[in-house]
Amino acid sequence: VFQKWENREISNFDYLIQLNTMAGRTYNDLAQYPVFPWILRDYTSEELDLNNPAVFRDLSKPIGVVNEKNAKTVKEKYISFFRYENFEDPLGMIDKFHYGTHYSNAAGVMHYLIRVEPFTTLHIQLQSGRFDCADRQFHSIPATWQALMDNPNDVKELIPEFFYFPEFLENQNGFNLGQLQMSKEVVNDVVLPKWARSPEDFIYKHRKALESEYVSAHLHEWIDLIFGYKQRGPAAVEALNVFY
């Protein structure tokens, strides 16, 4: 598979799907759901210029420190995390970590797919029979990216649906997802980046970005973090990539 990818006989999308499968990730297990990277950092421009390297996320860094400002906080947490997080660990069994949550988990999958069944029902069950408050819903792609940049504790990567399934961005079932506290805006379809004219247009351009020259040249850096040698040990510590 690697040889085929290197020779560009299979797409970046297909290679990531196959890596996820080999790593034991599957659509049948929300706790081990396939994981894909955030690949862009420009969600505000009117047009998306895929020839400009500045529109892409730095794939060599975990999502928690793509914003350089977060790196200091993340390093400090690792050095003194018992004091920092008020951790109770009398037996000294917990290893140090940079992030107390994970880049892929069941709640995160339900968060992204809340508008489509069976994930809507699973989300409601998780929230004791109702939708979570609107401000915590997935309601905007630009706002979700901004939250990641502002908060080093939010480290959710993406799921494959961001590259092929426009329906998950639409509230086709008309669920009452509430309204945002500050703006009173009703949460309905997901707010798209300015450069996307529709959910289909977002998926088309996002997939094009995934297959772009820049991502093809740098995707292996992200793969090292998620599936490769930077998952644990000294390389993970150095890369600020140690998870609880």
Side-chain angles (χ1 to χ4, degrees):
V1 176
F2 175 73
Q3 214 61 57
K4 279 187 167 177
W5 177 60
E6 203 178 34
N7 297 336
R8 302 206 173 185
E9 291 166 23
I10 60 173
S11 66
N12 291 337
F13 180 89
D14 286 337
Y15 186 53
L16 286 172
I17 285 288
Q18 295 200 37
L19 275 182
N20 273 283
T21 303
M22 288 189 279
R25 291 183 168 275
T26 166
Y27 286 107
N28 300 322
D29 182 352
L30 292 188
Q32 289 293 330
Y33 207 76
V35 57
F36 268 56
W38 283 92
I39 52 168
L40 295 171
R41 59 183 310 151
D42 181 358
Y43 296 95
T44 52
S45 299
E46 297 286 343
E47 298 295 331
L48 182 64
D49 179 8
L50 294 178
N51 294 316
N52 178 5
V55 306
F56 293 97
R57 165 243 177 123
D58 183 345
L59 287 159
S60 69
K61 294 177 180 172
I63 196 69
V65 290
V66 165
N67 183 348
E68 196 56 52
K69 284 195 295 220
N70 293 336
K72 185 167 178 276
T73 311
V74 167
K75 279 180 193 160
E76 280 174 4
K77 181 191 283 190
Y78 185 82
I79 292 163
S80 58
F81 85 110
F82 292 110
R83 189 161 47 83
Y84 207 78
E85 294 282 311
N86 300 320
F87 253 80
E88 295 293 329
D89 185 27
L91 300 174
M93 299 289 280
I94 301 176
D95 291 330
K96 289 181 176 181
F97 56 81
H98 293 117
Y99 313 102
T101 57
H102 215 246
Y103 51 77
S104 170
N105 57 40
V109 176
M110 287 182 246
H111 175 76
Y112 286 138
L113 295 176
I114 189 172
R115 289 164 180 78
V116 288
E117 291 289 15
F119 305 96
T120 313
T121 298
L122 292 166
H123 168 90
I124 290 168
Q125 286 170 354
L126 183 71
Q127 296 296 331
S128 309
R130 56 184 174 73
F131 284 111
D132 195 5
C133 85
D135 288 77
R136 286 199 291 265
Q137 310 280 24
F138 173 49
H139 70 274
S140 159
I141 293 172
T144 301
W145 174 256
Q146 196 51 52
L148 286 173
M149 292 303 94
D150 294 342
N151 179 6
N153 298 316
D154 188 352
V155 293
K156 278 192 296 296
E157 290 280 11
L158 297 183
I159 53 176
E161 282 81 352
F162 274 83
F163 300 93
Y164 69 82
F165 186 50
E167 287 80 2
F168 90 102
L169 298 166
E170 298 175 287
N171 187 13
Q172 292 186 352
N173 293 313
F175 294 122
N176 179 3
L177 300 171
Q179 58 183 159
L180 304 179
Q181 282 178 325
M182 295 291 282
S183 65
K184 301 296 180 218
E185 180 191 342
V186 172
V187 176
N188 192 24
D189 294 345
V190 176
V191 177
L192 303 172
K194 286 182 182 172
W195 46 258
R197 309 284 174 259
S198 65
E200 290 76 13
D201 189 47
F202 170 80
I203 296 292
Y204 170 74
K205 287 173 178 165
H206 203 216
R207 181 71 170 263
K208 205 171 169 185
L210 178 64
E211 303 302 338
S212 69
E213 205 50 53
Y214 179 90
V215 173
S216 296
H218 293 277
L219 188 57
H220 67 280
E221 297 170 348
W222 183 82
I223 289 168
D224 286 341
L225 295 169
I226 305 298
F227 300 106
Y229 78 104
K230 291 184 179 176
Q231 285 179 85
R232 48 176 64 98
V237 176
E238 194 180 337
L240 305 182
N241 194 43
V242 181
F243 292 83
Y244 175 51

